[in-house]
Amino acid sequence: MSRLHVVSGKGGTGKTTVAAALALALAAEGKRALLVEVEGRQGIAQLFEAEALPYEERKIAVAPGGGEVYALAIDAERALLDYLQMFYKLGSAGRALKKIGAIDFATTIAPGLRDVLLTGKACEAVRRKDRTGRFVYDYVVMDAPPTGRVTRFLNVNDEVAGLARIGPIHNQAQAVMRVLKSPETAVHFVTLLEEMPVQETADGIAELRAAGLPVGGVVINMVRPEILDETAVEAAANGRRPEVARALARALAYALERTGSGGARRAGLAEPLVDPLLRQAREHTERLALEHRGRADVARLGLPTYELELLGDGVDLAGLYRMARELRKQFARGEASERQGVSG
């Protein structure tokens, strides 16, 4: 399995949430993962109900089985100061440049420099070893920019070509690309079963492949549970009231059982709700049809695919762990299928 997992996706698909769940899943059973944020939104801290992340690696969660998840919010200005100190020994002079705004100016007018600093920090964490020669982190997960910008963000060689063809910046970009284009890296896309996110995912995959960057899998997020059977779906689509009433009664029983509020004995409560819910049932069937088409489009991409169910109350910390467990199970099933394919 790759050691650097880059997570991208169209805005609104939940890519940061999936990146956090992925870090928890990978860190299970005693592993150590670093979760990296590069967009300065402090979304990771919010998900883990923690204070804003500083520019340092901080333990943020314990994964199932005793693993550990560390997090880092990479700041481009601080990364550039580190870079200047490492290669040019500027020290206090570098801090003076920050005070007069030169650092911000440099990263603004040269976005390629900014990107190589951000990706470089993550790649350094992938390769870092302790005194015994073991990798400090088993996995690094990067919450990357959205689909439309991720190829440009990762393809730092092209971005810095106009800045420097020799010297430390050029060498840094070369080192970053050696990691990003190696089997150590996999770029995953998060999508919803909707037309625009699926199309952006397909476009993003094509762009990555054209740039020679490694594509991982597709995570379908916020999948709605199918609580109506095929007969009920057809009845709802055609507005057949008696059949819809029975279907809604079964659906209510299912919902009550999940919440521990009783099941079949209270299902009769659905009858007075049939008329106002008939329209919603029809909308539900239309949504399911849309999702089926989207799932078929994703399948045609020919990549490993994982699905995460919609969490009705939003994603809290418990929901994040639930997503991580589901990803872990699906990873295990996928690995088992691969082994059977090889042995067969």
Side-chain angles (χ1 to χ4, degrees):
M1 181 180 283
S2 302
R3 298 188 56 248
L4 173 58
H5 294 262
V6 180
V7 180
S8 183
K10 178 177 168 56
T13 59
K15 72 175 180 66
T16 299
T17 303
V18 171
L22 178 59
L24 280 169
L26 292 172
E29 308 305 327
K31 301 295 185 181
R32 178 182 283 194
L34 175 65
L35 179 58
V36 176
E37 181 177 79
V38 297
E39 294 187 282
R41 296 184 294 106
Q42 290 292 340
I44 291 171
Q46 294 173 30
L47 281 170
F48 286 96
E49 300 174 6
E51 295 180 358
L53 296 174
Y55 181 64
E56 61 183 37
E57 293 157 27
R58 173 180 290 181
K59 183 176 175 179
I60 200 169
V62 175
E68 297 176 326
V69 176
Y70 286 72
L72 169 66
I74 304 178
D75 176 83
E77 289 189 11
R78 291 286 301 274
L80 182 52
L81 285 173
D82 286 352
Y83 178 84
L84 293 173
Q85 174 59 23
M86 183 183 304
F87 288 104
Y88 299 103
K89 309 299 180 186
L90 288 187
S92 59
R95 291 189 291 274
L97 288 173
K98 177 177 172 62
K99 285 183 179 180
I100 65 173
I103 301 296
D104 182 57
F105 178 73
T107 55
T108 300
I109 66 167
L113 173 60
R114 179 182 183 277
D115 291 348
V116 77
L117 292 168
L118 296 175
T119 53
K121 193 74 174 176
C123 291
E124 181 275 325
V126 171
R127 292 289 178 89
R128 192 189 312 159
K129 294 184 178 181
D130 61 21
R131 293 179 179 178
T132 67
R134 295 186 57 185
F135 288 114
V136 173
Y137 294 107
D138 297 288
Y139 303 102
V140 176
V141 178
M142 181 195 295
D143 177 22
T147 310
R149 294 195 290 116
V150 70
T151 300
R152 183 175 179 180
F153 173 77
L154 295 174
N155 201 18
V156 294
N157 246 5
D158 287 351
E159 291 302 298
V160 302
L163 294 174
R165 298 187 183 277
I166 59 172
I169 294 177
H170 173 80
N171 294 339
Q172 173 78 349
Q174 291 288 314
V176 168
M177 292 310 300
R178 279 195 292 272
V179 175
L180 293 180
K181 289 193 172 185
S182 76
E184 287 184 291
T185 299
V187 184
H188 310 290
F189 288 90
V190 182
T191 187
L192 306 181
L193 290 176
E194 297 174 0
E195 184 177 356
M196 285 299 294
V198 171
Q199 185 58 54
E200 283 204 19
T201 297
D203 293 343
I205 290 167
E207 289 177 3
L208 278 183
R209 286 173 170 162
L213 291 161
V215 180
V218 178
V219 180
I220 302 173
N221 197 20
M222 304 185 210
V223 177
R224 287 165 173 75
E226 297 190 21
I227 59 177
L228 302 179
D229 58 27
E230 290 185 11
T231 302
V233 167
E234 183 183 354
N238 292 284
R240 297 200 294 270
R241 188 183 187 285
E243 294 179 44
V244 174
R246 290 192 293 273
L248 288 172
R250 292 193 296 271
L252 180 61
Y254 170 82
L256 290 171
E257 285 172 358
R258 290 193 69 181
T259 58
S261 302
R265 62 186 177 83
R266 300 186 66 185
L269 294 174
E271 175 60 30
L273 303 175
V274 171
D275 287 328
L277 289 178
L278 182 58
R279 178 177 57 82
Q280 293 185 29
R282 189 178 296 112
E283 291 173 355
H284 177 69
T285 63
E286 292 171 354
R287 175 71 195 188
L288 287 180
L290 177 66
E291 291 193 351
H292 288 162
R293 291 195 296 271
R295 190 176 281 108
D297 290 339
V298 171
R300 281 192 285 272
L301 296 173
L303 295 172
T305 303
Y306 314 95
E307 295 196 11
L308 293 172
E309 187 176 287
L310 173 69
L311 300 181
D313 296 330
V315 181
D316 56 9
L317 198 52
L320 197 60
Y321 275 85
R322 179 176 160 188
M323 292 172 70
R325 288 194 297 271
E326 185 57 35
L327 281 175
R328 188 76 182 172
K329 284 194 296 184
Q330 293 185 42
F331 288 159
R333 286 198 295 267
E335 290 170 359
S337 297
E338 286 183 11
R339 286 195 295 270
Q340 289 176 358
V342 171
S343 62

